[in-house]
Amino acid sequence: MKRIEGQARGITRMMEEQRYCIDILQQISAMEAAIQAAKSKVLSIHAGHCVEEALQGGNISEQRQKFAELVDLFRKVGR
């Protein structure tokens, strides 16, 4: 997240300096890739910890809820 924050500040600076549009767009693409990687990491943590915990707990209602959350997250992250 610190890297993404730094990239955003850099893009703002580039725009203020009226840098070449292609250079700015390349930096925006790099920031989007970093955001996608962060989203994937958080999703992985959720699946590896929260969902696993629900599966091990034996509560069918909680398992269904966590599975539904996971499906919804995959749908949202895939955008």
Side-chain angles (χ1 to χ4, degrees), residues 46-73:
H46 178 68
H49 181 261
C50 300
V51 174
E52 180 181 352
E53 190 175 283
L55 291 174
Q56 291 175 350
N59 181 325
I60 299 297
S61 176
E62 185 179 0
Q63 290 172 356
R64 286 185 177 142
Q65 178 192 1
K66 291 298 180 183
F67 184 75
E69 281 179 1
L70 191 59
V71 168
D72 192 46
L73 283 171

Side-chain angles (χ1 to χ4, degrees), residues 12-49:
T12 299
R13 204 169 25 254
M14 291 174 77
M15 293 175 82
E16 289 169 349
E17 296 170 357
Q18 297 182 352
R19 298 269 300 271
Y20 188 53
C21 293
I22 300 300
D23 294 338
I24 295 170
L25 290 170
Q26 287 174 336
Q27 290 304 311
I28 290 172
S29 291
M31 189 172 78
E32 288 173 335
I35 289 170
Q36 185 61 40
K39 286 170 43 176
S40 294
K41 181 66 175 175
V42 172
L43 181 57
S44 175
I45 290 168
H46 178 68
H49 181 261

